[in-house]
Amino acid sequence: MSPLEARYRRLLACYPREHRARHEEEMIGVLLAAAGPGREHPDPREVFDVVKGGILIRLQRSLGPEAAAHWRDALNVAAIVAPLHLLVLSLGSSAPVLWPGTWEPVGFLQAVLVVVRLLPYPLILGLALRGSRWAAAGAWIWAAAESAVSTVSTMEIMKHLGPDAPSVHPLTPGGVAFQAVPGCVVALLLTLAPRPAEGAALIGHRRLLHWSVAAVLSLAALNVITYLLPPDGPDGLRVDLILIAMACGVASRTPVGRRAILLMVPILASLYAVGLLAGPLRDAWPHYLLQTLLVAVFFTVARRGFRPYGSGTVSSPERLG
């Protein structure tokens, strides 16, 4: 294989795999014939045309009528994964409060309040798995209630600690709206998803349960250890980000999984983007660089080394990975 042909083949990677399987040799022949003898690098205009063609075909497949089944199934998957993700995070972060060592009179009341605050998540998930449209209504009600409770709690903290305390987040309309994003996205997904229960069936109920239990136990153990042995330096490595990277790596191997990841981006961005962007400003950039590298490694390993969950789509049940 000549260097020019090798470079053309690398360029054609911007086309979907199925398209390359059918047309790659024909396209390579046309490009080599047009290049003439003696050339070792593609012409810039050829590079532009090849990349543009690949992007257009990918957009057509992603947004065209033939992708409707994939988007429908991705909505169903995201409508289950989004509230489950918030439940897992809440359970993991509540472990220090529920730890028996904190059950003094005030601590016990705080534990009861945490349990009461967690109840809507399994209720909404249960309604969604049963196919009830009340799941979306409950999600909207809970999103509004949680935003109101968070606002009132912040006002009470500001009253006792003062608005300039380091642990107090500024109470602005933008901040309140940003905190409401996860709950509102969950409610919107449950409203738009035609059959969220099919999303759980597509992933696999047992696999979904295994991932959830493993994530809750990992986060709870890390939070309890951090509570008992507070670190002196920067924040510890984010196990939740590593678990998300693994789940996204597995999901990215199927068309439905890739679309479900896109639908989950608003939730993930609202939960993690601000903390990650603020990290280097606190002179902790080596720590965050290591965190980013670990996330990339776990994503790559999960994408290449694990079998994709599910079987493609409900509408197209053959295995696609």
Side-chain angles (χ1 to χ4, degrees), residues 17-277:
R17 183 182 304 173
E18 298 84 0
H19 185 89
R20 295 200 306 271
R22 290 195 301 266
H23 304 292
E24 182 173 12
E25 297 305 323
E26 177 185 354
M27 295 173 70
I28 288 291
V30 172
L31 290 170
L32 289 175
R39 278 181 48 189
E40 294 187 358
H41 296 274
D43 185 89
R45 290 173 296 181
E46 291 177 336
V47 174
F48 176 78
D49 290 337
V50 170
V51 173
K52 181 181 72 172
I55 293 175
L56 289 177
I57 289 181
R58 287 185 180 274
L59 286 176
Q60 182 181 6
R61 294 194 174 190
S62 299
L63 305 175
E66 65 275 8
H70 291 322
W71 281 111
R72 183 174 63 249
D73 290 334
L75 262 177
N76 291 332
V77 168
I80 290 295
V81 172
L84 182 61
H85 178 67
L86 295 184
L87 175 60
V88 166
L89 287 182
S90 299
L91 287 172
S93 62
S94 301
V97 179
L98 301 178
W99 188 254
T102 65
W103 283 16
E104 292 123 357
V106 177
F108 179 75
L109 177 60
Q110 188 179 11
V112 172
L113 292 175
V114 168
V115 172
V116 171
R117 189 176 182 182
L118 288 175
L119 287 178
Y121 292 106
L123 177 61
I124 291 169
L125 272 170
L127 291 173
L129 291 173
R130 294 188 61 180
S132 173
R133 300 310 298 179
W134 281 101
W140 283 114
I141 293 171
W142 179 238
E146 192 173 30
S147 179
V149 169
S150 176
T151 302
V152 172
S153 301
T154 303
M155 293 175 64
E156 290 297 319
I157 294 173
M158 292 173 63
K159 185 187 301 182
H160 289 87
L161 300 181
D164 298 327
S167 59
V168 177
H169 297 286
L171 191 62
T172 62
V176 173
F178 191 78
Q179 288 185 350
V181 167
C184 290
V185 172
V186 168
L188 183 62
L189 289 173
L190 286 169
T191 302
L192 297 177
R195 294 182 181 87
E198 289 186 1
L202 178 61
I203 297 174
H205 293 89
R206 182 175 298 179
R207 186 172 286 107
L208 201 59
L209 179 62
H210 289 172
W211 273 86
S212 302
V213 171
V216 169
L217 292 178
S218 301
L219 294 175
L222 179 66
N223 284 318
V224 168
I225 292 173
T226 304
Y227 171 77
L228 297 175
L229 303 170
D232 297 329
D235 298 335
L237 293 177
R238 297 287 300 271
V239 175
D240 50 349
L241 290 179
I242 292 174
L243 293 172
I244 291 169
M246 293 172 63
C248 289
V250 176
S252 66
R253 297 181 62 178
T254 66
V256 170
R258 290 190 290 271
R259 288 165 173 81
I261 293 173
L262 287 176
L263 294 173
M264 289 286 295
V265 164
I267 289 181
L268 298 178
S270 64
L271 291 175
Y272 303 110
V274 173
L276 291 177
L277 292 176

Side-chain angles (χ1 to χ4, degrees), residues 286-303:
H287 169 80
Y288 282 87
L289 178 60
L290 175 61
Q291 178 89 42
T292 303
L293 290 175
L294 282 176
V295 167
V297 167
F298 276 91
F299 175 87
T300 304
V301 170
R303 177 174 173 81

